[in-house]
């Protein structure tokens, strides 16, 4: 079923964003919502003369890689609309919100003080400007789920989530 609400998850290739993806898939399934994995990119001086299309393609691969790492591919039972946006992550995520019923799921920051000072906090920007609820997930939430499953002999949550609802 295609829901009218969306769960938007920010992906940047970090462990925190994998934890956010895992949570976002659960949220989308329970809400019967469309899942919108979003990655934002901006050219940097280190990119030199690389074509913008190559940079955009690399950003899209980041989304595919996250699903491959977390679930072995895209979940078959969810409507997924990946989004690759040129720009800063905070404004891109806020712009993706369509209704107050949407949800933004983010990984907790872990990029260091210098990056935070230069670019600000994506989660702070989303909380201040989004017209919907924002959930920030720590990588420890994901690690706790994996450790619990391993101790109890249960299937790993990431692999199981792709097959069981």
């Amino acid at each position: 079923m295609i829901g009218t609400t969306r769960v938007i998850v920010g992906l940047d290739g970090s462990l925190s964003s994998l934890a956010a993806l895992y949570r976002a898939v659960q949220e989308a399934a329970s809400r019967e919502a469309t899942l919108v994995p979003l990655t934002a990119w901006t050219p940097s001086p280190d990119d030199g003369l690389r074509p913008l299309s190559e940079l955009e393609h690399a950003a899209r691969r980041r989304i595919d890689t996250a699903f491959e790492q977390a679930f072995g591919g895209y979940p078959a039972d969810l409507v997924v609309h990946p989004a690759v946006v040129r720009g800063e992550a905070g404004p891109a995520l806020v712009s993706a919100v369509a209704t107050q019923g949407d949800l933004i799921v983010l990984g907790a920051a872990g990029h260091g003080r210098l990056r935070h000072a230069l670019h600000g906090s994506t989660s702070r920007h989303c909380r201040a400007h989004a017209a919907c609820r924002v959930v920030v997930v720590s990588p420890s939430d994901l690690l706790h789920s994996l450790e619990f499953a391993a101790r109890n002999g249960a299937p790993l949550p990431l692999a199981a989530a792709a097959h069981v609802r």
Side-chain angles (χ1 to χ4, degrees), residues 3-23:
T4 57
T5 61
R6 298 173 320 141
V7 174
I8 304 153
V9 58
L11 299 176
D12 66 3
S14 68
L15 180 58
S16 293
S17 72
L18 284 179
L21 177 60
Y22 179 61
R23 172 74 180 269

Side-chain angles (χ1 to χ4, degrees), residues 7-25 35-40 59 62-63 66-67 83 85 88-90 92-94 96 103-109 111 122-123 126 134-137:
V7 174
I8 304 153
V9 58
L11 299 176
D12 66 3
S14 68
L15 180 58
S16 293
S17 72
L18 284 179
L21 177 60
Y22 179 61
R23 172 74 180 269
V25 165
L35 180 65
V36 180
L38 185 145
T39 189
R62 190 166 39 242
I63 294 173
F67 276 94
V85 178
E88 293 296 326
L93 288 159
V94 168
L103 173 68
I104 295 176
V105 182
L106 302 169
H111 296 294
T122 299
S123 61
C126 290
V134 177
V135 173
V136 179
V137 180

